[in-house]
Amino acid sequence: QVQLVQSEAEVKTPGASVKVSCKTSAYVFSDYYMHWVRQAPGQGLEWLGRLTPDSGATVYAQKFQGRVTMTRDTSTRTVYMDLSSLRSEDTAIYYCAREGVGENPKRYFFDYWGQGTLVTVPS
Amino acid sequence: QTVVTQEPSLTVSPGGTVILTCASSTGAVTSGHHPNWFQQKPGQPPRTLIYSTSNKHSWTPARYSGSLLGGKAALTLSGVQPEDEAKYYCLLYYDGVRVFGGGTKLTVL
């Protein structure tokens, strides 16, 4: 069955960078977008951006432009999210989430999510 | 900066019907915003219920439905069950960019 398995929790110092991975299996890797979403403690969901696995093209939320980088390794079917210049407000669970696109009519559907990776940045 | 607005909280009795809405600061929500609806319970990742306004996944209970209502996206729960108590988020599409609403805490009481 489709699986998105994320890397383990991380603790980082302010100003450092973190790289979270999302290893996929059991589907055609290039057929689906991969998004990154985060959730700070007790807060709502926040969209960081999207990667197109076959081309590597990215779209980032304006808030994270210049600080986030999304990449992929097609040989291992793994997607990465790198967030730099970390501050305490970046403490959150980071999720990868798969999105498919249907045609006629056009449809965009999120379906599978990773289990989440807690990134902690002490103040 | 685009803002997507949901009711912060709603309460419904078991067996009742409730409508959650999702509004856009840019104007009316249309099918072009491809509204997705997610359910999240404490300690769990979100689960996708509805996509592109009204389409259901295979795992979506029949009591959930999506629509456009009065310029907003809407999620209707009919015949609410105790296990429907959760936080619900909508997500809208803006030309490649996605924006989440702040979420609605649904209490079944």
Side-chain angles (χ1 to χ4, degrees):
Chain A
Q1 70 278 23
V2 172
Q3 286 197 310
L4 307 179
V5 179
Q6 297 185 224
S7 47
E8 295 297 311
E10 303 247 22
V11 179
K12 294 291 184 180
T13 54
S17 296
V18 68
K19 192 167 188 173
V20 180
S21 66
C22 172
K23 185 168 176 57
T24 71
S25 58
Y27 70 93
V28 180
F29 184 65
S30 58
D31 280 358
Y32 294 82
Y33 294 126
M34 192 64 76
H35 293 254
W36 289 91
V37 175
R38 77 177 188 181
Q39 187 168 39
Q43 302 301 307
L45 302 174
E46 183 172 32
W47 183 80
L48 279 74
R50 181 207 83 192
L51 174 83
T52 305
D54 53 359
S55 66
T58 53
V59 178
Y60 300 137
Q62 188 174 6
K63 175 179 176 178
F64 299 101
Q65 292 271 6
R67 241 184 10 118
V68 71
T69 306
M70 296 176 189
T71 57
R72 89 286 190 223
D73 181 340
T74 55
S75 66
T76 61
R77 305 168 53 93
T78 302
V79 178
Y80 300 93
M81 188 283 301
D82 197 313
L83 188 63
S84 62
S85 303
L86 290 169
R87 37 218 189 223
S88 58
E89 310 89 89
D90 294 316
T91 293
I93 298 173
Y94 289 76
Y95 295 102
C96 57
R98 190 182 85 158
E99 184 189 46
V101 182
E103 302 291 343
N104 299 316
K106 196 82 168 183
R107 300 179 303 283
Y108 290 90
F109 55 94
F110 280 73
D111 52 13
Y112 290 92
W113 291 67
Q115 83 276 19
T117 296
L118 176 62
V119 175
T120 303
V121 186
S123 52
Chain B
Q1 181 78 340
T2 302
V3 176
V4 176
T5 302
Q6 300 181 242
E7 298 87 359
S9 64
L10 291 169
T11 300
V12 61
S13 299
T17 295
V18 65
I19 301 175
L20 288 66
T21 67
C22 176
S24 172
S25 63
T26 63
V29 176
T30 69
S31 59
H33 289 100
H34 298 281
N36 276 238
W37 289 93
F38 306 88
Q39 178 193 65
Q40 190 180 33
K41 296 185 178 180
Q44 298 180 15
R47 180 174 77 137
T48 317
L49 296 173
I50 300 287
Y51 63 92
S52 285
T53 305
S54 58
N55 296 275
K56 299 182 185 184
H57 285 293
S58 58
W59 55 78
T60 305
R63 60 185 179 275
Y64 289 85
S65 62
S67 63
L68 297 176
L69 203 61
K72 299 179 184 181
L75 176 70
T76 302
L77 284 75
S78 305
V80 171
Q81 303 295 308
E83 61 265 29
D84 297 328
E85 184 162 296
K87 192 106 179 223
Y88 292 84
Y89 295 92
C90 68
L91 176 80
L92 299 181
Y93 172 98
Y94 296 90
D95 194 23
V97 172
R98 313 292 196 268
V99 181
F100 280 99
T104 297
K105 173 74 175 93
L106 183 67
T107 300
V108 181
L109 204 58

